[in-house]
Amino acid sequence: MSRSERYAAIDLGGTKVRAIVADLDGQIYGEDIRLSRASEGLAATTDTMVACLEAACVAAGVNTADIKGLGIASPGAVDAYNGVVPEAPQLPGWRDVPIVEIMSKRLGVPVWLENDANAAALGENRFGAGKGAKNMLYMTVSTGVGGGIIIDGDLYRGTRGAAGELGHMIIDYDGPPCGCGGNGCLESLISGTAIAKEGERLIDAGKAPELTKLRDAEGAVTAEMMNRAVKAGDEAVAEYADRVGMYLGVALASYVNIFNPSVIVIGGGVSQSGEMFMDQAVATMKRKAMRAPLADVTVKLGQLQDRAGTLGMIARLKAAVEDGD
Ligand SMILES: [Zn+2]
């Protein structure tokens, strides 16, 4: 491997596509972000992915044809082994899409695929908050709740590559409906969507005067807005934030008991604005987890933010190049 060789990664989301051109040490030379046009269907989205990658190559001063490999992080329960996206709620119309074959034909470069949260787990493990941790869990709390599991320094994918869905740990089997079809999964209780919905409910019930002011001034309720309402003195919002922290904390305690990780990295937009429940989550984890595995674990916020997925795919390419993996 030559130091000057350039690789690329694409993080495909329902709203945005991000492409980077980097070397295998995670140094980024060019980047482009644009709307993914997911609602327009498969062809529009793959066109956007190609255009986004080409723009990142221009920014990096390299020809697209000179890229040595491309990693794609995609939402959904992807089949990483066969390079197929069976379906993803964020990508309407995608059914068993052989995205690796499509992109490698269009670009003439070898392509690898991972689920976006698994990619982000690799990113934080190689370049971010969990750097060097042999046993690490990654959670992303944003619109949904995703996860990734690193065991003995490698991504744990499971039998068909669908492992790591930490957001679908069932906390309350009679709880609210979840996007996966079940009830009371962690995601149904602490996702940005669930938090905003409860915020609206507290406003409608007349229990959140500060949040009401913020909502009226700025539009739709967000977790970050609720954080500010707590600081401004909304007690009902603070009580709810405590409960969200508790839900996350009992999930963390279960993960600690099952995996005995040294680091749990929590990324995603909600976690970045969620001081309101992160303290409670860690306190609850410490109360509920077993003493021996608890002694080893540190909970950290993610460091790579929106680049966790793309840098994770660079880490994936590095493993492929160095280990033939
Ligand atoms: Zn679920």
Side-chain angles (χ1 to χ4, degrees):
M1 158 182 96
S2 147
R3 290 283 135 198
S4 62
E5 284 180 345
R6 296 288 179 262
Y7 294 80
I10 292 176
D11 193 352
L12 171 61
T15 311
K16 278 183 283 185
V17 176
R18 173 186 303 264
I20 64 167
V21 172
D23 62 25
L24 292 181
D25 295 322
Q27 176 75 40
I28 296 174
Y29 298 94
E31 183 170 32
D32 184 75
I33 304 159
R34 55 187 67 201
L35 294 175
S36 48
R37 300 167 62 198
S39 62
E40 295 170 51
L42 175 63
T45 303
T46 49
D47 283 351
T48 303
M49 290 165 75
V50 171
C52 187
L53 176 64
E54 284 171 344
C57 286
V58 169
V62 296
N63 294 319
T64 310
D66 293 336
I67 292 294
K68 297 292 175 195
L70 167 67
I72 299 173
S74 164
V78 309
D79 180 346
Y81 303 123
N82 295 303
V84 172
V85 180
E87 59 182 333
Q90 300 88 336
L91 302 170
W94 286 46
R95 281 283 176 280
D96 299 322
V97 173
I99 190 67
V100 162
E101 191 189 328
I102 292 173
M103 294 301 279
S104 59
K105 267 188 189 152
R106 283 190 66 163
L107 297 163
V109 301
V111 179
W112 281 261
L113 174 72
E114 295 287 353
N115 162 267
D116 50 8
N118 281 353
L122 275 176
E124 291 289 356
N125 188 249
R126 299 298 194 271
F127 302 118
K131 199 168 172 179
K134 272 182 72 182
N135 298 297
M136 183 198 106
L137 301 178
Y138 172 79
M139 292 181 74
T140 168
V141 185
S142 55
T143 322
V145 179
I149 300 165
I150 306 284
I151 295 179
D152 287 335
D154 265 331
L155 188 62
Y156 176 74
R157 294 187 183 81
T159 305
R160 65 157 65 208
E165 293 288 354
L166 300 177
H168 298 279
M169 163 156 287
I170 299 166
I171 305 293
D172 174 6
Y173 63 81
D174 276 334
C178 182
C180 69
N183 285 81
C185 298
L186 185 64
E187 174 170 296
S188 75
L189 297 166
I190 74 157
S191 69
T193 315
I195 291 174
K197 198 171 155 194
E198 179 63 12
E200 296 285 358
R201 201 192 63 78
L202 290 172
I203 288 173
D204 290 346
K207 289 180 178 167
E210 296 298 332
L211 185 60
T212 306
K213 280 186 229 162
L214 291 169
R215 195 269 318 258
D216 290 348
E218 300 173 24
V221 173
T222 64
E224 188 273 329
M225 197 186 278
M226 288 169 75
N227 201 32
R228 280 184 283 149
V230 170
K231 284 180 186 153
D234 267 354
E235 278 178 24
V237 180
E239 270 169 39
Y240 170 66
D242 235 35
R243 205 158 74 233
V244 169
M246 215 101 78
Y247 291 138
L248 177 56
V250 296
L252 293 178
S254 300
Y255 304 148
V256 165
N257 293 348
I258 296 166
F259 293 103
N260 185 201
S262 64
V263 184
I264 299 177
V265 177
I266 303 187
V270 173
S271 65
Q272 296 296 329
S273 61
E275 304 107 294
M276 61 173 180
F277 65 81
M278 286 304 298
D279 289 350
Q280 175 62 265
V282 172
T284 302
M285 175 191 82
K286 287 182 175 167
R287 265 199 327 274
K288 302 278 184 189
M290 294 164 75
R291 206 162 56 89
L294 184 63
D296 300 313
V297 73
T298 311
V299 177
K300 294 181 178 178
L301 287 180
Q303 286 175 355
L304 305 180
Q305 273 84 34
D306 293 345
R307 291 201 183 102
T310 45
L311 283 171
M313 288 317 296
I314 294 297
R316 179 70 190 82
L317 294 173
K318 185 171 179 163
V321 168
E322 291 178 353
D323 313 330
D325 193 353

